[in-house]
Amino acid sequence: MEKKPFVTKEQVEEIVKTWPTPFHIYDEKGIVENARRVKAAFAWNPGFHEYFAVKATPNPWILEILKNEGFGADCSSYTELLMADAVGLHGHDIMYSSNVTPDADFIKAAQLGAIINFDDISMIDPYMQIAPVQDTMCCRYNPGGNFTLHNEIMDTPKDAKYGMTKDQLREAYRKLRDYGVKNFGIHAFLASNTVALGYYPKLARILFEVVAEFSRELGIHFSFVNLSGGVGIPYRPDQEPNDIMAIGEEVRKAYEEILVPAGLDDVAIYTEMGRFILGPYGHLVTKVLRMKHIWKDYAGVDACAANLMRPAMYRAYHHITVLGKENAPCDHLYDVTGGLCENNDKFAIDRMLPEIHEGDYLVIHDTGAHGFSMGYNYNGRLRSAELLLRPDGSVKQIRRAETPQDYFATLDYPGLKDER
């Protein structure tokens, strides 16, 4: 599969007249089309609701686009709750999934009417002391062991800090029932960034079976099953993308085989996809500042790990296009690096690319989720602007770039000011 940027060299050269590199830019048209594909994949379930994972791309302009498509918000902090509130999401359009949760977060979530998703049984009594019981509440399940697909270990829930054991889950539902909860949800996240048809269907079967068992045993009503996220994207050009329609169909089969015979055909399916919804529709655009030739050839760019942490943190692959050289042969070997005082500040290692010169613009692909949001300020580096490419070809700034004054704003020290 060839990865093509959604911006051209000519577009970038026009954009930088107003907003210099580096910047993250998002493709609104692609986001909306993908959101509609997700809704179509689960249209068989009348109660289907996607709760976009705010942590993936925490920008209210993005949340507003998705709200207009009927999506809610999956929040995990006080700040994310404020952002959901700002775009007009309230009540059951917010799922609050957190861990090690401060009291203030629970109180705010309750004020907004969000569905509370308890990560641990120990959270329930403290919550009830500070916030009202709700008609609908949720618990997070961790089945332990390894999560496997086709005998391949996809992830290891036994090592994850999230969720409850099955025995704890059963007791948590009893406790919530006794507090007066009327409707229940179950939630689990067992593997990250899976590019495999089988992930959601296998997870669905696990959760559907628990729902059928606990409905009988405890006499409680489950109103939804939340499959969370984990549906991934093909970061590498040789990977096949997930077929969301096929995934939705396999979940439907599991639903009809397990829940329908149990008389649970009113259970809604919820999802919380951040990476799948936004990942492919974001680019980090950066300019080559310096070429260095020592033991290796280095292309030094004006972005750094502060703008995109995944390659430095996980050695994650992100495809790179040299704008204007899309059809040139990839016959030069480079490390593409940022300017942090960290040797792991590299976007690519031993990557074959077209010949690069100072002044070239690079597109780093698939940064629409967990890109800008994981930024930081090491070395006093400042986070970039975020831009939105509108369907008509115009560009809107949806977050300005930080300035030194922003960086110094929390310091109470005389003489610090923005000198630019």
Side-chain angles (χ1 to χ4, degrees):
M1 182 183 71
E2 184 180 358
K3 282 189 176 286
K4 296 182 179 179
F6 56 76
V7 289
T8 64
K9 179 183 178 184
E10 291 72 26
Q11 284 177 298
V12 167
E13 287 174 337
E14 190 63 30
I15 291 168
V16 298
K17 293 176 183 178
T18 305
W19 300 288
T21 55
F23 53 78
H24 285 269
I25 187 166
Y26 308 106
D27 175 19
E28 182 177 359
K29 180 174 182 288
I31 293 168
V32 169
E33 290 175 350
N34 198 37
R36 292 176 181 175
R37 280 192 290 270
V38 169
K39 288 193 297 183
F42 292 92
W44 55 266
N45 183 260
F48 173 73
H49 203 16
E50 158 65 21
Y51 291 83
F52 175 70
V54 178
K55 60 182 171 287
T57 319
N59 190 298
W61 295 98
I62 298 296
L63 296 188
E64 186 175 87
I65 290 169
L66 296 174
K67 178 194 171 191
N68 291 339
E69 294 302 314
F71 286 13
D74 167 52
C75 299
S76 56
S77 71
Y78 190 96
T79 310
E80 290 178 359
L81 287 168
L82 294 179
M83 194 175 294
D85 184 26
V87 301
L89 292 169
H90 305 104
H92 286 195
D93 283 329
I94 302 174
M95 182 73 61
Y96 186 65
S97 300
S98 63
N99 64 99
V100 196
T101 308
D103 287 355
D105 292 35
F106 272 146
I107 292 169
K108 186 63 179 178
Q111 288 173 346
L112 293 175
I115 298 174
I116 306 295
N117 180 23
F118 290 107
D119 177 68
D120 188 65
I121 191 170
S122 66
M123 291 179 162
I124 295 173
D125 289 337
Y127 171 88
M128 296 301 177
Q129 294 170 14
I130 59 172
V133 64
Q134 299 185 31
D135 281 350
T136 302
M137 304 193 92
C138 183
C139 291
R140 188 168 186 169
Y141 179 40
N142 182 334
N146 294 318
F147 185 83
T148 60
L149 282 178
H150 312 300
N151 296 318
E152 177 185 355
I153 296 176
M154 305 296 291
D155 219 321
T156 53
K158 65 183 180 182
D159 294 331
K161 68 176 182 175
Y162 308 108
M164 310 178 205
T165 68
K166 189 173 181 181
D167 287 343
Q168 290 172 334
L169 191 69
R170 179 185 289 107
E171 183 57 30
Y173 286 133
R174 283 197 185 104
K175 189 180 284 284
L176 290 171
R177 179 193 64 190
D178 293 345
Y179 270 117
V181 176
K182 304 300 183 187
N183 302 295
F184 297 83
I186 188 171
H187 171 285
F189 180 89
L190 302 187
S192 179
N193 192 39
T194 59
V195 188
L197 169 63
Y199 171 61
Y200 253 14
K202 183 167 183 178
L203 173 61
R205 289 180 181 276
I206 291 170
L207 298 182
F208 293 167
E209 287 171 358
V210 173
V211 165
E213 178 184 343
F214 284 4
S215 293
R216 292 191 307 268
E217 180 183 335
L218 303 177
I220 60 177
H221 175 253
F222 281 88
S223 59
F224 67 86
V225 170
N226 190 333
L227 300 176
S228 187
V231 179
I233 62 173
Y235 285 99
R236 295 179 179 273
D238 58 351
Q239 289 179 296
E240 287 295 321
N242 272 312
D243 182 344
I244 196 64
M245 297 303 295
I247 290 171
E249 174 62 15
E250 289 301 311
V251 173
R252 183 193 65 79
K253 290 178 182 178
Y255 189 99
E256 293 188 351
E257 290 172 15
I258 300 170
L259 292 183
V260 173
L264 301 172
D265 57 355
D266 62 339
V267 174
I269 300 298
Y270 293 170
T271 57
E272 296 171 353
M273 290 185 273
R275 195 188 312 266
F276 184 81
I277 298 292
L278 254 293
Y281 308 104
H283 293 334
L284 174 58
V285 180
T286 182
K287 184 178 183 179
V288 178
L289 296 182
R290 303 284 183 263
M291 298 299 299
K292 183 175 182 177
H293 308 283
I294 47 172
W295 312 113
K296 301 177 76 171
D297 290 338
Y298 295 93
V301 298
D302 58 5
C304 64
N307 306 109
L308 178 64
M309 185 192 291
R310 294 187 74 253
M313 186 174 186
Y314 303 122
R315 284 289 182 259
Y317 180 95
H318 281 261
H319 198 65
I320 295 175
T321 296
V322 184
L323 288 179
K325 302 179 182 181
E326 290 85 350
N327 298 317
C330 294
D331 53 5
H332 286 65
L333 189 69
Y334 296 106
D335 282 12
V336 179
T337 75
L340 293 184
C341 296
E342 284 287 348
N343 196 47
N344 66 355
D345 180 24
K346 297 177 180 179
F347 296 113
I349 298 173
D350 294 332
R351 184 76 60 87
M352 296 300 296
L353 294 165
E355 185 175 9
I356 296 175
H357 298 96
E358 292 179 4
D360 281 343
Y361 292 106
L362 308 185
V363 158
I364 302 176
H365 290 253
D366 301 313
T367 68
H370 309 289
F372 179 93
S373 65
M374 295 178 72
Y376 58 105
N377 288 120
Y378 182 62
N379 272 174
R381 294 286 180 168
L382 304 174
R383 282 172 285 198
S384 68
E386 291 182 290
L387 309 178
L388 183 66
L389 177 65
R390 309 304 297 266
D392 64 2
S394 64
V395 175
K396 177 182 179 64
Q397 179 177 258
I398 58 174
R399 188 193 301 266
R400 66 167 175 81
E402 287 182 336
T403 68
Q405 198 60 39
D406 295 319
Y407 182 75
F408 297 143
T410 56
L411 293 171
D412 186 10
Y413 189 84
L416 282 176
K417 60 182 180 180
D418 189 346
E419 298 295 340
R420 295 185 186 181

